[in-house]
Amino acid sequence: MTTRSASTSTLDHLLTEIEHRNPAQPEFLQAAHEVLETLAPVLAARPEYAEAGLVERLVEPERQVIFRVPWQDDRGRVHVNRGFRVEFNSALGPYKGGLRFHPSVDLGVIKFLGFEQIFKNALTGLGIGGGKGGSDFDPHGRSDAEVMRFCQSFMTELYRHIGEHTDVPAGDIGVGGREIGYLFGQYRRITNRWEAGVLTGKGAGWGGSLIRPEATGYGNVLFAAAMLRERGEDLEGQTAVVSGSGNVAIYTIEKLAALGANAVTCSDSSGYVVDEKGIDLGLLKQVKEVERGRVDSYAERRGSSARFVPGGRVWEVPADIALPSATQNELDENDAAALIRNGVKAVSEGANMPATPEAVHLLQRSGVAFGPGKAANAGGVAVSALEMAQNHARTSWTAARVEEELTRIMNDIHTTCHETAERYGAPGDYVTGANIAGFERVADAMLAQGVI
Ligand code: NDP
Ligand code: 2IT
């Protein structure tokens, strides 16, 4: 048996064991599978990783916390949700990753997100470990007062597990500036500490970093631009399809426009909007950020250039590039086939794991440049780490400085993924490049720190 096939069979064995140990966690198994299936060449080249049981240790979170979150609605009715924080890996720094409030949240979803976060955070080159948390609480249709009471109850348990040197949460689906404010207030009240570095995504006037709200979307567009540059093209004049209409989607659309491209779609769980003239960002921000409304209201107010397609998916709209920015598994093999039929050149993941494995393989086989989320959407957590640095130094940087750092980091991530893929015999394969480069950095740190 050659070394390569030995490492492949070790990985197959490991995957079977992971499936056995983590039943009913399909998203986590999907994420683990997607990473492990690309690691055979690096395990063959570096036998010391297998000897140190690195993959076995990496797929097991260092700590998992599950807790009850009771809260009262505006009519005084009591609700009970479940809270999670999965502290996955701290070899490179304090656990770092967002909180997701969405009814689909369960332990498997949080573990998939935490697992991805380990490699993503490693790719930023900064000192942050991987973690994720959240709740099955659904903020849709809840008043500010209800959201505040929920956040206060959530933090009343979470506070004992986090800290600027321990674990630093931020936002994700359903958690934005409003929620971070309520969470920070309750942390400060319970601990009697003005500990800015315990959460990121704070308001700019009280410890937040400029450009953090924009960072994920901006970063993904910069990553897509770098992939196009590699092929001798740029974003100028390109048409883009974007899914979602939350934080990531909005700032993706903004950066596309700044670089001369035109986003013609956005969506939410009710359906999508296609706007021939290009999405009007002022109107979208008004509908989604100010009114917390639905995208059909955008179409109603925009006039004849826009229409709302209930229940549809944006991937049927012809475009040069596609930037999925809503949620996991929102782009399947049929969607990928539609994009390819319409001549798509690049797909870059703003969301975490939005493309199914079948979709990723089809896009790659068809020669489409594919940017995996753990590389392409790392700009958000990278600027979170810059927020931590500013908090630690008790200072704040200008927007221009943060954006310059973000641009450098995204270009570095692109180069790292590209070069790593080449080094391991998979030129142009950003999935393999991102997985191996992220893995190597974490694995080397774990190797140096002993069996813990
Ligand atoms: P938001 O809550 O701001 O927006 C989420 C958007 O996605 C909404 O339009 C929402 O529609 C839609 N959406 C969510 N779940 C579903 C679903 N099950 N089906 C259809 N549509 C859905 O979240 P973000 O923009 O912050 O996050 C979007 C994605 O980007 C997530 O995958 C997140 O993990 C990822 N990400 C976020 C980062 C950040 O800094 N915020 C950083 C890196 C990645 P609706 O309101 O109808 O639910
Ligand atoms: O998925 C992600 O990278 C995020 N939700 C951002 C995490 C963070 O700590 O800023």
Side-chain angles (χ1 to χ4, degrees):
M1 194 185 266
T2 65
T3 325
R4 176 178 281 246
S5 65
S7 49
T8 306
S9 81
T10 311
L11 284 171
D12 287 345
H13 177 74
L14 250 170
L15 275 166
T16 310
E17 193 166 313
I18 295 166
E19 277 165 29
H20 182 69
R21 282 166 66 85
N22 300 280
Q25 296 184 359
E27 293 87 359
F28 172 60
L29 295 176
Q30 182 183 335
H33 201 280
E34 282 191 40
V35 170
L36 265 57
E37 73 175 5
T38 61
L39 294 185
V42 68
L43 294 178
R46 304 279 305 269
E48 66 272 29
Y49 288 156
E51 279 156 29
L54 268 166
V55 181
E56 290 88 334
R57 284 193 275 150
L58 257 170
V59 295
E60 190 67 22
E62 289 176 13
R63 188 175 300 104
Q64 307 177 62
V65 188
I66 304 181
F67 51 97
R68 181 173 69 196
V69 190
W71 58 282
Q72 275 180 299
D73 68 21
D74 288 342
R75 291 178 307 158
R77 208 156 63 89
V78 174
H79 300 257
V80 178
N81 285 101
R82 193 169 283 174
F84 301 90
R85 188 71 185 168
V86 173
E87 298 179 333
F88 226 119
N89 194 293
S90 58
L92 295 177
Y95 309 105
K96 183 82 196 87
L99 297 171
R100 176 178 291 191
F101 293 170
H102 191 272
S104 64
V105 163
D106 61 18
L107 183 60
V109 167
I110 298 300
K111 279 177 64 184
F112 122 62
L113 290 161
F115 186 68
E116 286 286 294
Q117 201 82 45
I118 302 170
F119 306 98
K120 181 193 307 193
N121 294 4
L123 285 170
T124 66
L126 303 166
I128 39 180
K132 201 84 185 190
S135 174
D136 57 2
F137 172 69
D138 185 358
H140 287 110
R142 290 291 170 197
S143 68
D144 283 354
E146 288 174 327
V147 170
M148 181 180 75
R149 285 195 293 277
F150 176 81
C151 288
Q152 289 173 341
S153 181
F154 185 85
M155 185 54 86
T156 300
E157 172 60 32
L158 186 69
Y159 88 94
R160 66 186 91 245
H161 308 290
I162 62 176
E164 63 176 318
H165 301 295
T166 310
D167 183 357
V168 182
D172 194 82
I173 291 175
V175 178
R178 174 182 61 172
E179 290 74 19
I180 294 295
Y182 295 147
L183 291 163
F184 186 77
Q186 185 73 350
Y187 182 86
R188 183 167 64 73
R189 184 181 195 191
I190 294 174
T191 60
N192 194 31
R193 283 166 65 88
W194 213 101
E195 186 186 337
V198 70
L199 289 171
T200 61
K202 301 179 294 295
W206 46 277
S209 176
L210 295 172
I211 308 295
R212 176 63 190 87
E214 293 87 349
T216 311
Y218 280 20
N220 189 26
V221 176
L222 293 169
F223 194 87
M227 290 198 298
L228 287 175
R229 219 167 26 244
E230 197 57 45
R231 299 175 164 218
E233 300 204 42
D234 66 23
L235 277 170
E236 183 76 41
Q238 311 272 8
T239 298
V241 282
V242 175
S243 63
S245 52
N247 171 267
V248 178
I250 284 175
Y251 292 102
T252 297
I253 294 169
E254 184 164 290
K255 192 65 170 178
L256 284 167
L259 295 180
N262 195 23
V264 293
T265 63
C266 64
S267 69
D268 61 24
S269 53
S270 66
Y272 77 84
V273 166
V274 54
D275 188 335
E276 283 162 23
K277 286 197 193 152
I279 297 293
D280 175 336
L281 203 65
L283 179 57
L284 184 62
K285 284 184 178 175
Q286 173 65 27
V287 169
K288 299 302 293 196
E289 289 185 334
V290 180
E291 298 167 17
R292 296 182 184 273
R294 316 296 296 163
V295 288
D296 58 347
S297 155
Y298 170 97
E300 269 164 34
R301 281 141 79 176
R302 173 69 163 150
S304 61
S305 72
R307 79 195 152 84
F308 175 64
V309 182
R313 303 226 223 185
V314 300
W315 320 120
E316 61 202 31
V317 175
D320 304 304
I321 58 171
L323 302 133
S325 309
T327 195
Q328 64 270 13
N329 295 327
E330 56 161 320
L331 193 168
D332 66 18
E333 200 174 9
N334 290 333
D335 301 320
L339 287 169
I340 292 163
R341 265 199 311 280
N342 287 324
V344 78
K345 297 172 194 163
V347 176
S348 201
E349 293 188 318
N352 285 304
M353 208 168 73
T356 63
E358 297 77 19
V360 176
H361 291 144
L362 180 58
L363 290 164
Q364 290 189 315
R365 273 203 313 277
S366 308
V368 176
F370 179 80
K374 62 173 74 67
N377 72 38
V381 77
V383 173
S384 275
L386 302 182
E387 182 170 325
M388 290 162 70
Q390 292 168 72
N391 294 155
H392 197 69
R394 294 191 183 280
T395 186
S396 47
W397 300 349
T398 62
R401 176 166 176 197
V402 179
E403 201 170 341
E404 195 180 308
E405 287 284 321
L406 171 65
T407 306
R408 182 188 58 73
I409 290 167
M410 294 315 298
N411 286 332
D412 285 355
I413 294 174
H414 174 269
T415 306
T416 301
C417 296
H418 196 263
E419 288 178 358
T420 306
E422 261 180 13
R423 188 150 46 90
Y424 283 96
D429 177 352
Y430 291 97
V431 175
T432 295
N435 287 344
I436 294 185
F439 172 77
E440 280 187 318
R441 184 164 178 235
V442 182
D444 287 340
M446 288 174 71
L447 212 52
Q449 293 172 27
V451 179
I452 52 163

